[in-house]
Amino acid sequence: MAEKLSIINCQLSIIQTMAIGKKSALGRGLDALITMDDLTTGGSSSISEIELSKIAPNPDQPRTVFEEEALEELATSIRSLGVIQPITLKEIGPEKYMIISGERRYRASLKAGLERIPAYIKTAEDENVVEMALIENIQREDLNSIEIALAYQKLIDNYGLTQERLSERVGKKRATIANYLRLLKLPAEIQMGLKDKKIDMGHARALIPVDDPEVQLALYEQILADGLSVRTVEELVRTVHENTAPTDKKENKTASRQKLPEEYNMLKEHLSRFFKTKVQLTYNDKGKGKIAIPFASEEELERLIGLLDNLK
């Protein structure tokens, strides 16, 4: 038996090696099929063929987005080769099972028209199986940043974990976990942009130090409009902080009490749209103030100068 398993593993390694360097008709499906990163838990387990109709997804599954194209590729692979790597299930009732890991393979098997799927069955009582399923899924690199952040937050809320304890459980640095959790403080529109891969985590992290959600959203729109790099966004954020930092405590205290009239707000919004950057406008009770147009690079400055030249 051991010799047969060794031969099978050798054959799979050869198939995987041949797939590297060129895109086969199976696309990325083969890699997904032969992944060996299923969750290992304590207690006994067995492998069986389970009817798909008896399987239910894990309600605590961190991943909320399953790309249809990738699922179709995996379904094509399954039709051709079958499900090579079993999924892992938890028995939750008489002939009822919950997915611990392998939901993509489960969904693709449904698309492929399979009635049964090979699965490891978790038979030992394990109160932490849901927690372990969350942790296993967090380790997957194809989760987006918001899904990971929500999974971390769910573990903290459901199991009363501190960030320090959570870092031990998932094998991540505490600072890494804190960075993910901070993403949940961003406006919903930015979180959706991160989830939809309109921006990456570097952009989102650069926006976190900005206190004003309106400024965050304005910078986010500028990232989308101009394709700004993370470095440029970081410089813009520094510029915003410099322009809003108090230079004279008395003047700043007066200005903070002085609310901008509606026409000033309209002017500021109009200038921000025109220059495609967050224009800062401040004034004091004597009517004195300033307009600041931030830029983060020489290229950005040239763009602003070009707009001003056109006004002539």
Side-chain angles (χ1 to χ4, degrees), residues 30 45-46 60 80 141 203 209 219-220 223 249 259 263 303:
L30 185 59
S45 62
S46 60
D60 290 315
S80 175
E141 295 180 357
H203 290 107
L219 290 171
Y220 169 69
I223 293 170
K249 291 184 179 180
K259 204 169 183 179
E263 59 270 21
R303 183 183 70 81

Side-chain angles (χ1 to χ4, degrees), residues 5 16 23 30 46 71 84 98 117-118 137 164 177 184 202 229 266 268 283 285 292 305:
L5 288 175
Q16 214 171 6
K23 185 176 178 66
L30 185 59
S46 60
L71 283 177
I84 296 175
M98 181 187 71
I117 189 171
N137 277 283
E164 189 68 35
I177 292 173
L184 300 179
S229 67
M266 292 175 62
K268 185 173 74 169
Y283 91 116
D285 54 355
I305 291 174

Side-chain angles (χ1 to χ4, degrees), residues 30 48 84 96 112 118 127 156 169 204 209 219-220 229 233-234 243 256 264 292:
L30 185 59
S48 306
I84 296 175
K96 292 183 179 180
E127 295 179 356
I156 289 172
R169 300 292 288 270
L219 290 171
Y220 169 69
S229 67
V233 177
E234 290 172 344
N243 288 336
S256 64
Y264 279 37

Side-chain angles (χ1 to χ4, degrees), residues 21-287:
K22 65 177 183 177
K23 185 176 178 66
S24 68
L26 297 179
R28 292 169 293 175
L30 185 59
D31 290 334
L33 276 169
I34 60 180
T35 180
M36 301 299 289
D37 58 356
D38 277 296
L39 174 66
T40 299
T41 65
S44 62
S45 62
S46 60
I47 187 168
S48 306
E49 289 278 336
I50 304 298
E51 294 179 21
L52 291 170
S53 60
K54 298 178 180 178
I55 300 172
N58 183 350
D60 290 315
Q61 159 71 272
R63 184 190 301 162
T64 57
V65 178
F66 293 85
E67 295 182 2
E68 284 300 317
E69 183 179 351
L71 283 177
E72 287 293 346
E73 290 179 354
L74 185 52
T76 299
S77 298
I78 288 173
R79 292 188 192 102
S80 175
L81 298 175
V83 180
I84 296 175
Q85 175 64 19
I87 66 175
T88 305
L89 303 176
K90 165 72 176 177
E91 189 171 8
I92 57 175
E95 297 190 354
K96 292 183 179 180
Y97 305 90
M98 181 187 71
I99 298 172
I100 296 178
S101 64
E103 186 168 339
R104 284 188 69 247
R105 277 164 279 165
Y106 162 77
R107 288 174 177 251
S109 295
L110 288 173
K111 284 182 173 290
L114 270 60
E115 295 183 357
R116 307 171 73 87
I117 189 171
Y120 293 108
I121 308 300
K122 182 68 181 173
T123 57
E125 289 298 324
D126 190 347
E127 295 179 356
N128 294 326
V129 69
V130 176
E131 178 189 359
M132 297 171 77
L134 274 172
I135 292 173
E136 187 273 342
N137 277 283
I138 287 171
Q139 304 297 341
R140 296 180 179 273
E141 295 180 357
D142 53 356
L143 289 180
N144 64 59
S145 301
I146 293 299
E147 288 173 335
I148 294 175
L150 289 171
Y152 283 152
Q153 190 63 57
K154 183 173 289 186
L155 284 170
I156 289 172
D157 294 341
N158 289 358
Y159 302 99
L161 300 177
T162 63
Q163 290 186 18
E164 189 68 35
R165 179 61 176 150
L166 180 57
S167 72
E168 296 173 2
R169 300 292 288 270
V170 300
K172 301 288 184 181
K173 293 181 179 179
R174 184 182 179 281
T176 299
I177 292 173
N179 285 333
Y180 276 107
L181 292 174
R182 288 190 189 101
L183 298 176
L184 300 179
K185 297 180 180 180
L186 291 169
E189 185 177 345
I190 299 177
Q191 290 188 40
M192 286 302 299
L194 185 57
K195 191 173 182 180
D196 295 338
K197 299 180 180 179
K198 294 180 180 178
I199 60 172
D200 60 32
M201 188 172 174
H203 290 107
R205 286 181 59 185
L207 296 175
I208 290 173
V210 179
D211 296 327
D212 189 343
E214 291 186 5
V215 177
Q216 289 177 325
L217 287 170
L219 290 171
Y220 169 69
E221 294 295 337
Q222 188 175 347
I223 293 170
L224 299 183
D226 299 338
L228 302 181
S229 67
V230 174
R231 179 64 180 273
T232 300
V233 177
E234 290 172 344
E235 292 175 352
L236 273 174
V237 169
R238 280 196 292 271
T239 303
V240 169
H241 280 302
E242 289 171 2
N243 288 336
T244 56
T247 54
D248 182 278
K249 291 184 179 180
K250 184 177 179 180
E251 180 181 346
N252 185 70
K253 187 175 180 181
T254 304
S256 64
R257 292 197 304 263
Q258 190 72 28
K259 204 169 183 179
L260 284 177
E262 183 60 28
E263 59 270 21
Y264 279 37
N265 276 320
M266 292 175 62
L267 173 61
K268 185 173 74 169
E269 291 175 5
H270 176 75
L271 291 173
S272 295
R273 287 194 299 270
F274 177 77
F275 288 109
K276 293 183 180 179
T277 187
K278 189 65 177 179
V279 172
Q280 302 295 318
L281 192 156
T282 59
Y283 91 116
N284 58 27
D285 54 355
K286 296 182 179 180

